[in-house]
Amino acid sequence: MSERAALAFGISLILFLAGCGERTTGRSPEAAAPSSAASTTPRQTPQPKPSTSAKPTRTVPPRLRPQPTTLPPGLRRTSGGRAVALTFDDGPDPVWTPKILDQLRRAGAKATFCVIGTRARAYPELVARIAREGHQLCNHSWRHDLDLGRRPVAEIRADLVRTNRAIQAAVPGAKVPFYRQPGGKWTPEVVAMGRQLGMRPLHWSVDPQDWAKPSAATITRRVTGAVRPGAIVLMHDGGGNRAATLSACAHLIGDLKRRYGLVRLG
């Protein structure tokens, strides 16, 4: 082999070996370089999902004061004289109140009606009739809340004021001199608030429990057995079917008027 041929063979061998090494051990510049898109796009951080187990916040009502074990002093339980006072609670009722009023009118007797605010708002014409026929009006709370006396003082005041406004909307300028606590569940707080609003606490001395709907004969027997001169008798012209009370009053109104006299509280 000539010297020139040997040199050419050597150069070819070197180039061949260099090409094989690059294919087997290295990577192309494109493969080795990171993608420009991958290197410039920021990684997305997963956002926390809103919790589905969270409960809405509930307002906790204020705790009620304990109910006193004895009645507070100062409750009115007598008429102040010999005459008996008939009182009717939980009205006005469009069925029973007019019938009680009719009986009283025929007997020439007066009574006291302790009205509920929601009922006074619903039947203002009956409140107006009670006042027009000479009977006394009494505040009996807005919705007959048995626990009213145990509630915050501000709630007691709002309830009594609202009821008086409903009464006075039916009878402009009407005086409401008495408040009667539903169920007789008096507390010093409700007595004091009633007095602040110009109302005396009206209780009773005879309760025939006509609210439980006993027979007319039972109501009559309970009243005549317990009544004394100056008694305040509790009955109901609202709060349900008062047919038995109405039937009992057909006898009681005339009997009590003859024996003691009947008086409107004032």
Side-chain angles (χ1 to χ4, degrees):
M1 179 183 294
S2 66
E3 181 176 329
R4 181 177 292 179
L7 179 61
F9 177 79
I11 293 172
S12 299
L13 181 60
I14 292 170
L15 292 173
F16 175 78
L17 293 174
C20 290
E22 185 174 335
R23 284 194 299 270
T24 58
T25 62
R27 294 186 297 172
S28 68
E30 292 79 9
S35 167
S36 60
S39 63
T40 58
T41 302
R43 297 180 63 188
Q44 297 295 322
T45 303
Q47 297 297 317
K49 295 181 179 180
S51 172
T52 58
S53 61
K55 296 181 179 180
T57 303
R58 292 189 302 175
T59 302
V60 178
R63 179 178 295 180
L64 299 178
R65 290 183 298 274
Q67 182 67 39
T69 56
T70 59
L71 293 175
L75 305 182
R76 182 163 181 179
R77 306 190 203 201
T78 69
S79 68
R82 175 177 173 77
V84 169
L86 292 178
T87 65
F88 295 93
D89 285 13
D90 297 357
D93 182 275
V95 174
W96 307 110
T97 302
K99 294 177 180 179
I100 293 290
L101 288 170
D102 289 345
Q103 288 184 343
L104 291 167
R105 183 174 56 190
R106 286 194 294 268
K110 306 301 179 187
T112 298
F113 288 81
C114 300
V115 302
I116 296 173
T118 57
R119 308 292 290 177
R121 182 179 63 180
Y123 304 105
E125 70 283 357
L126 290 178
V127 179
R129 180 181 171 184
I130 290 169
R132 185 172 62 251
E133 296 187 1
H135 306 289
Q136 185 61 272
L137 290 167
C138 167
N139 183 321
H140 196 35
S141 84
W142 178 249
R143 56 181 179 86
H144 203 270
D145 183 1
L146 294 174
D147 291 325
L148 180 61
R150 302 168 61 200
R151 298 192 185 281
V153 171
E155 288 188 27
I156 297 174
R157 179 182 178 84
D159 187 293
L160 303 191
V161 167
R162 190 180 188 187
T163 304
N164 278 349
R165 286 175 178 169
I167 294 170
Q168 290 162 348
V171 187
K175 302 298 183 183
V176 187
F178 297 105
Y179 171 71
R180 174 172 277 171
Q181 171 62 22
K185 293 183 175 293
W186 296 97
T187 65
E189 291 81 6
V190 78
V191 169
M193 183 52 65
R195 289 190 183 280
Q196 285 184 29
L197 296 172
M199 296 183 291
R200 288 165 282 170
L202 179 59
H203 200 60
W204 55 82
S205 58
V206 178
D207 178 9
Q209 298 185 350
D210 68 325
W211 50 267
K213 301 181 178 66
S215 68
T218 298
I219 295 171
T220 301
R221 184 179 67 253
R222 289 173 177 174
V223 172
T224 55
V227 74
R228 300 289 184 273
I232 296 177
V233 180
L234 168 65
M235 288 190 287
H236 295 78
D237 65 321
N241 187 322
R242 298 303 173 198
T245 299
L246 183 69
S247 180
C249 284
H251 168 76
L252 286 171
I253 291 173
D255 181 62
L256 294 175
K257 183 181 179 182
R258 184 179 65 258
R259 292 167 60 195
Y260 303 101
L262 292 176
V263 64
R264 156 190 156 147
L265 291 170

